[in-house]
Amino acid sequence: MMVKLTIIGRLNDGLPISQGPIYGSDDDVTTIYKQNAEFLLHEISTAALPPSATTILHRRHCYNYMVKNGICFITLCDASYPTKLAFHYLQDLQKEFDKVDPEFVEQLIEPYSFVKFDNVIGNIRRQYIDTRTQANLSKLNANHKQELDVHIEQMSVVFERRRKSDLLERMMRAHKSTSPVWGSNTLQVIAVKWIPIAIIFIVGFVLLTSSLAV
């Protein structure tokens, strides 16, 4: 049981700005883990996922995330890792990140450019490797009867929702490209030019019909 990956990102544009050490024996697999975390950050930043504390279940792992003051904290854990402890870990990261100047954070442009905070993540993560330490047991036992208010989703559902959203967007773009008149400025020009003429014609026709009837 362990914390395998941590990413911190900016919510307003989905930019990942800091990351902790990635633990895994297979480079290809760890790359996928990281890509999935970045995907979740994007979904959160576009409001496709809720900003409230959430656990995303994915096979034998789970992604836990929380959002605070416009910053998203995401971690990947083994499925057997205590959820309560995972969110304690995220809260500790958030408390340390609150010490950072917000203006500095907004000026970051490149992904993962806040390298100095990577060491902070690594130091805090080490405190949560062993779930049986006295400090971690105390966190788990504190308010034991109080359940965590955590939203839970399946990663497969998140993937499918994004796939359908992208498909709908492509269909809408294709419809616009095959219908250059409708929904374009051309239609507005036609309307402005011909609608007044049509109204005059209709009014004239009505008046002529009325006079003939008399």
Side-chain angles (χ1 to χ4, degrees):
M1 297 191 300
M2 64 184 302
V3 175
K4 291 190 172 182
L5 174 149
T6 305
I7 283 180
I8 297 176
R10 207 163 53 197
L11 193 64
N12 60 3
D13 58 2
L15 180 73
I17 57 180
S18 186
Q19 63 180 330
I22 301 176
Y23 294 88
S25 57
D26 189 327
D27 289 341
D28 291 336
V29 173
T30 53
T31 298
I32 293 174
Y33 289 159
K34 183 177 177 179
Q35 290 173 344
N36 286 344
E38 291 171 344
F39 164 73
L40 291 175
L41 175 59
H42 174 268
E43 295 299 278
I44 300 163
S45 69
T46 58
L49 280 171
S52 54
T54 299
T55 294
I56 308 291
L57 305 176
H58 187 48
R59 298 172 184 169
R60 292 175 298 173
H61 299 89
C62 59
Y63 290 88
N64 301 289
Y65 74 78
M66 59 173 281
V67 176
K68 188 75 172 181
N69 299 328
I71 301 296
C72 183
F73 304 85
I74 304 175
T75 186
L76 172 71
C77 307
D78 292 323
S80 56
Y81 193 84
T83 301
K84 188 173 184 179
L85 209 56
F87 279 95
H88 268 289
Y89 167 63
L90 294 178
Q91 288 167 1
D92 284 354
L93 290 177
Q94 175 255 313
K95 290 174 183 176
E96 285 300 314
F97 201 89
D98 280 351
K99 301 174 183 178
V100 180
D101 183 359
E103 291 187 6
F104 167 78
V105 175
E106 286 302 315
Q107 291 172 359
L108 296 173
I109 299 175
E110 297 296 325
Y112 303 109
S113 53
F114 191 10
V115 179
K116 288 185 178 181
F117 203 80
D118 295 358
N119 295 328
V120 177
I121 296 174
N123 291 335
I124 295 177
R125 178 196 171 277
R126 278 193 287 272
Q127 302 172 25
Y128 286 85
I129 293 177
D130 187 354
T131 61
R132 297 166 298 178
T133 64
Q134 187 59 48
N136 287 335
L137 288 175
S138 297
K139 292 172 184 175
L140 288 172
N141 293 329
N143 300 322
H144 187 67
K145 294 181 179 180
Q146 183 178 352
E147 293 294 330
L148 280 173
D149 185 15
V150 177
H151 177 71
I152 298 176
E153 285 208 39
Q154 292 284 345
M155 180 68 92
S156 58
V157 175
V158 180
F159 281 147
E160 181 64 15
R161 190 162 58 229
R162 171 48 52 191
R163 186 190 69 81
K164 290 180 178 179
S165 178
D166 289 344
L167 178 61
L168 179 61
E169 187 176 341
R170 287 196 298 270
M171 290 174 63
M172 292 176 65
R173 285 202 302 264
H175 177 70
K176 287 183 179 181
S177 64
T178 55
S179 305
V181 175
W182 300 106
S184 68
N185 291 332
T186 305
L187 183 60
Q188 295 179 14
V189 172
I190 293 173
V192 170
K193 181 177 181 179
W194 291 103
I195 286 179
I197 296 175
I199 292 173
I200 293 172
F201 175 79
I202 293 171
V203 171
F205 178 78
V206 170
L207 292 174
L208 179 62
T209 304
S210 300
S211 63
L212 290 175
V214 173

